[in-house]
Amino acid sequence: MVTPCAASPASQRHRMLGALLVRRLPGSAHPMFNIERADQGLFLLWLAFMGLLGFAALLLWQAGAWHRLIEADPTRLTVVIVLLFVGCSGWAGHRAWVLGRQRLALDKARRSAGSWSSEFLQGTAQPGADRASWLLVLGERAHGAHEMAWWLNGIQLKLGLLGKVIGFSILALQLGQMDSFDPSQSAQLLKSLTGGLGIALLTTVTGLTGNILLGLQLMRLDRFADALVADTLALSLQSDGAPDGDRPTGP
């Protein structure tokens, strides 16, 4: 018989590194910081984040920044990075909704088919069940889908660095084609040289920005999945130490 877990599922979640950092922030006791624990709170936070980004993108469009960005980058790497970010952010929103439903199923002790927590609790409740193997299955379902998103997040940064290499290569080629320097043509010369430099800077900035903003979304998904796994494991340990009549039953 496994010893009952003395800590509640909420206290187990507080031990996660991200939760500890948030709790130590000034004003962290404000109800606004608990929105993630509400029904589909993670998805609501994602919607708020996307709303801010959408408003910023609208302001940039009104200022003509998007048009100038596309014109200044003939490689179109910035467009690829932006489209990759939008697609991955849409997936992050869907994933936040899925994790929110699993969190709701755990909090309300549902035993519906498809709930990761219910399958884990029922599997570990079987005689001779291997808890470690079930924990690996639960961890894979909670985190496995995030690996590809993290890889694509790194691709954004690599595309930005690729644009930097291309831009400086264009700049080097233009410098190599200069036979002599004519002061009367200095303005045209500087314009041609800054084209390659502009490609290098714009693609790098776009890649870095997309990497940071998407990384924030994926980090919250990982922390939420960590809390889901920790609370499910804590509930399973409590069930092992509970009387037979108090243990969770199957569907």
Side-chain angles (χ1 to χ4, degrees):
M1 182 67 66
V2 180
T3 304
C5 181
S8 64
S11 64
Q12 290 287 337
R13 178 165 41 178
H14 290 162
R15 293 174 185 175
M16 304 302 296
L17 177 59
L20 285 173
L21 292 176
V22 172
R23 288 179 63 194
R24 294 180 180 275
L25 290 175
S28 59
H30 195 275
M32 181 185 65
F33 286 86
N34 296 325
I35 187 176
E36 196 173 276
R37 301 184 188 179
D39 293 351
Q40 292 296 349
L42 182 64
F43 180 72
L44 294 177
L45 286 176
W46 177 84
L47 282 180
F49 185 68
M50 286 296 102
L52 289 176
L53 293 184
F55 180 70
L58 179 61
L59 293 180
L60 291 176
W61 177 74
Q62 291 179 345
W66 291 113
H67 181 69
R68 290 195 293 267
L69 180 66
I70 295 176
E71 282 188 340
D73 180 20
T75 65
R76 297 297 183 265
L77 283 175
T78 54
V79 177
V80 174
I81 295 172
V82 171
L83 292 178
L84 182 60
F85 172 78
V86 172
C88 290
S89 295
W91 176 89
H94 175 265
R95 186 64 180 177
W97 178 265
V98 172
L99 290 175
R101 292 186 62 183
Q102 296 297 328
R103 176 82 250 181
L104 189 62
L106 176 62
D107 290 341
K108 294 188 176 181
R110 293 179 179 173
R111 300 294 177 261
S112 58
S115 173
W116 306 337
S117 57
S118 65
E119 292 180 2
F120 176 82
L121 293 174
Q122 294 169 19
T124 54
Q126 300 297 325
D130 186 359
R131 189 186 300 275
S133 298
W134 277 103
L135 187 59
L136 288 176
V137 173
L138 179 62
E140 174 63 23
R141 290 180 175 178
H143 294 93
H146 302 177
E147 295 183 5
M148 178 60 71
W150 278 111
W151 182 80
L152 292 175
N153 189 42
I155 289 297
Q156 292 184 115
L157 187 59
K158 292 178 176 62
L159 288 175
L161 295 177
L162 177 62
K164 175 185 284 188
V165 173
I166 293 176
F168 281 114
S169 298
I170 294 176
L171 179 61
L173 290 175
Q174 290 174 342
L175 289 174
Q177 294 174 355
M178 292 176 54
D179 296 331
S180 60
F181 178 75
D182 187 356
S184 62
Q185 300 178 350
S186 58
Q188 182 64 28
L189 179 61
L190 288 176
K191 182 178 180 180
S192 61
L193 291 178
T194 53
L197 185 60
I199 295 174
L201 295 178
L202 289 176
T203 53
T204 303
V205 169
T206 306
L208 286 173
T209 303
N211 180 265
I212 293 172
L213 295 178
L214 182 58
L216 289 174
Q217 301 176 59
L218 298 179
M219 182 188 66
R220 286 313 315 157
L221 291 178
D222 281 345
R223 298 286 73 79
F224 195 89
D226 287 339
L228 181 65
V229 172
D231 289 355
T232 303
L233 180 59
L235 183 59
S236 174
L237 295 175
Q238 289 178 347
S239 300
D240 287 343
D244 293 340
D246 295 336
R247 293 188 181 184
T249 59

